[in-house]
Amino acid sequence: MINMKKDETKKKITKATIELLKEKGYKGTTTREIAEQAGVNELTVFRHFGNKEGIIQAIVKTTSFSLEIFDKSIEWELKKDLTNFGYLLLKDFDNNRDMISIALKDPLIFSQAHEEILKKINDTKEILKEYFEEMQRKGYIKELDCCTQAEIFLSTYWGYFMYKLNFGDKALHADYQDMIKNSIKTFIKGISLH
Amino acid sequence: MINMKKDETKKKITKATIELLKEKGYKGTTTREIAEQAGVNELTVFRHFGNKEGIIQAIVKTTSFSLEIFDKSIEWELKKDLTNFGYLLLKDFDNNRDMISIALKDPLIFSQAHEEILKKINDTKEILKEYFEEMQRKGYIKELDCCTQAEIFLSTYWGYFMYKLNFGDKALHADYQDMIKNSIKTFIKGISLH
DNA sequence: CCTAATGGAAAGTAAATACTTACATTCAGG
DNA sequence: CCTGAATGTAAGTATTTACTTTCCATTAGG
């Protein structure tokens, strides 16, 4: 017999907390504000999570950080594959947008999440690197430092995402489709043989 | 007869504050800690800056955000120019590393600095965009969306810088010279006519 | 309708922290 | 050695804030 009300309340609280953390950071967010924003009594917050840090531990735990499957959809065709990869990458950043924003703002949360974020970055880099290496073996692209090239690819998308995250549309005005289309076009011409 | 002691003390305090802000953010940094780290009495902090916010206002004011001169050294040769630009860009990010780190962490400081940061981003983008347009007119590069291409270039370097800023060498292991060299090589081949 | 689980109201506690006040001390320059 | 600018010492204040305690209200399920 599972009690649903309890879970709903918990979700209301974590959701409210995430909103506030994005705006004000951990230290800048009070438990009273969290309760207000969640529409519950402050006491309820403590009943569910013990203390303030318990809320963010719960948030960090339930955050996915799951990699979308790229491997499965590889077609060994540069343009298709890289476009797909770029799309998945931005989508993935966006799925974790809250967590990224929060973790980069606060040292406490950063310390709890940063191992997992790092792992994710390196996993993603590895996938891309291996893709480049295989394409090289197949003779589709030039001899080049696949690892560095993977890092450059990631940097471009990470940079785009970070600009958008912090400055909205005021820094860059290319939407993500323009961005993907143009960057891939240039990138492909840059690494292709012909 | 200028009193030097006063200025030295001020500098000790702002320097200590910057260090602590990078670690803990504004709300997480106490005036007592600042005083300790600066090696002065807490009261001295208030005597010089009035209140806690006064310290960061002083920091924001004295921060340069000056663009290094790129225009002057243009040679209208893609590889040389872009390498130079990439180098200046990373150097410039690095010069403002403290301020960027602090501003992105805290909403109060962000609100005070973000107009200036935005202006800087857009100025830089404009320079690059105009460079591409001129190179296009001269017939050195392909027909392309110069603005988006400028944004992609910026994104790559911003992303690289942000990875390094937040994760040190644990995310990317290309040093900035590798990064510049390889990204420019790919980029040039991507946009050149031949 | 009863019961147990859940949430709310109100009041309070203890610690942290920005900031103040009053007075003493150091120290460089003339 | 004297003066005044700068800093230190010490004690304190007012507010905020995480967290507690006690008692009461609601509600869902059998």
Side-chain angles (χ1 to χ4, degrees):
Chain A
M1 205 185 319
I2 306 149
N3 199 316
M4 275 297 119
K5 202 170 178 187
K6 197 172 169 182
D7 288 4
E8 276 169 31
T9 310
K10 276 198 164 190
K11 219 164 223 172
K12 277 198 290 182
I13 294 169
T14 50
K15 194 182 163 195
T17 305
I18 288 171
E19 290 309 310
L20 289 167
L21 288 179
K22 283 196 289 182
E23 279 177 48
K24 314 183 166 199
Y26 180 72
K27 286 263 181 181
T29 301
T30 70
T31 52
R32 197 201 299 165
E33 281 174 315
I34 291 171
E36 268 175 31
Q37 176 111 349
V40 300
N41 194 279
E42 192 181 352
L43 173 54
T44 304
V45 173
F46 289 102
R47 276 202 270 242
H48 279 289
F49 298 97
N51 53 31
K52 192 182 170 187
E53 207 183 320
I55 311 173
I56 60 160
Q57 275 166 0
I59 292 173
V60 172
K61 251 183 198 165
T62 59
T63 303
S64 63
F65 282 113
S66 64
L67 270 172
E68 295 260 354
I69 346 95
F70 169 63
D71 306 286
K72 303 292 171 188
S73 53
I74 292 180
E75 300 187 30
W76 307 111
E77 202 181 320
L78 255 186
K79 190 174 177 180
K80 268 192 190 169
D81 290 338
L82 287 185
T83 303
N84 184 31
F85 193 81
Y87 176 74
L88 288 177
L89 201 57
L90 279 184
K91 194 172 147 201
D92 199 51
F93 288 158
D94 207 58
N95 284 341
N96 294 298
R97 153 186 288 264
D98 287 340
M99 205 55 209
I100 292 170
S101 172
I102 291 170
L104 294 185
K105 270 195 177 59
D106 198 90
L108 176 68
I109 304 172
F110 184 77
S111 70
Q112 300 201 8
H114 108 285
E115 279 301 327
E116 217 163 345
I117 296 178
L118 259 182
K119 186 181 175 329
K120 198 190 160 88
I121 294 171
N122 282 314
D123 286 353
T124 310
K125 194 171 77 181
E126 197 59 26
I127 290 175
L128 195 55
K129 182 188 144 202
E130 280 166 15
Y131 175 77
F132 286 150
E133 282 168 350
E134 185 58 29
M135 286 300 272
Q136 211 168 279
R137 239 171 274 130
K138 286 178 188 284
Y140 293 153
I141 62 177
K142 301 196 295 182
E143 286 289 320
L144 39 75
D145 179 346
C146 291
C147 183
T148 301
Q149 220 61 36
E151 292 187 353
I152 290 168
F153 192 93
L154 279 187
S155 291
T156 305
Y157 284 76
W158 183 246
Y160 176 79
F161 175 74
M162 291 303 277
Y163 271 135
K164 290 279 181 185
L165 184 69
N166 288 305
F167 304 102
D169 288 327
K170 285 179 184 165
L172 308 186
H173 76 332
D175 62 31
Y176 78 99
Q177 278 156 332
D178 282 340
M179 157 68 190
I180 292 178
K181 204 179 113 195
N182 281 280
S183 69
I184 299 282
K185 209 166 85 184
T186 304
F187 195 79
I188 286 177
K189 185 149 182 277
I191 64 174
S192 298
L193 282 169
H194 48 56
Chain B
M1 207 186 316
I2 307 150
N3 200 315
M4 276 296 120
K5 206 170 175 186
K6 198 172 169 181
D7 287 6
E8 277 170 30
T9 308
K10 275 198 165 191
K11 218 163 225 173
K12 278 198 290 181
I13 293 170
T14 50
K15 194 182 163 195
T17 305
I18 288 171
E19 290 309 310
L20 289 167
L21 288 180
K22 283 197 290 181
E23 279 177 47
K24 315 184 164 198
Y26 180 72
K27 286 260 183 182
T29 301
T30 70
T31 52
R32 198 201 301 167
E33 280 174 316
I34 291 171
E36 267 174 31
Q37 176 112 348
V40 299
N41 194 279
E42 191 180 351
L43 175 54
T44 304
V45 174
F46 289 103
R47 276 201 273 241
H48 279 291
F49 298 98
N51 53 31
K52 192 181 169 186
E53 205 182 322
I55 311 173
I56 60 161
Q57 275 167 0
I59 291 173
V60 171
K61 250 184 199 163
T62 59
T63 302
S64 63
F65 281 114
S66 63
L67 269 173
E68 294 260 353
I69 347 95
F70 170 64
D71 306 286
K72 303 292 172 188
S73 52
I74 292 180
E75 300 187 29
W76 306 110
E77 202 180 320
L78 255 187
K79 190 174 176 180
K80 268 191 190 170
D81 290 339
L82 287 185
T83 302
N84 183 34
F85 193 81
Y87 176 75
L88 288 177
L89 201 56
L90 279 185
K91 194 172 148 200
D92 199 51
F93 289 157
D94 206 57
N95 285 341
N96 294 298
R97 153 185 287 264
D98 286 341
M99 204 55 210
I100 291 170
S101 172
I102 292 170
L104 294 185
K105 271 196 176 60
D106 198 90
L108 175 68
I109 304 173
F110 185 77
S111 70
Q112 300 202 7
H114 108 287
E115 279 301 327
E116 218 163 344
I117 296 179
L118 259 182
K119 187 181 173 332
K120 196 189 162 92
I121 294 171
N122 282 313
D123 286 353
T124 310
K125 194 171 78 180
E126 197 59 26
I127 289 175
L128 195 56
K129 181 187 145 203
E130 280 166 15
Y131 175 76
F132 287 150
E133 283 168 350
E134 186 58 29
M135 286 300 272
Q136 210 167 280
R137 240 171 273 129
K138 286 177 189 284
Y140 293 152
I141 62 177
K142 302 196 295 183
E143 287 290 319
L144 39 76
D145 179 346
C146 291
C147 183
T148 301
Q149 219 61 36
E151 291 187 354
I152 289 168
F153 192 94
L154 279 187
S155 291
T156 305
Y157 284 76
W158 184 246
Y160 175 80
F161 175 73
M162 292 302 275
Y163 270 136
K164 290 280 182 186
L165 184 68
N166 289 304
F167 303 102
D169 288 328
K170 285 179 185 166
L172 308 185
H173 77 333
D175 62 32
Y176 78 99
Q177 277 155 333
D178 281 341
M179 157 69 191
I180 292 178
K181 204 179 114 196
N182 282 281
S183 70
I184 300 284
K185 209 165 83 183
T186 304
F187 195 79
I188 286 177
K189 185 148 183 277
I191 64 175
S192 297
L193 283 170
H194 47 59

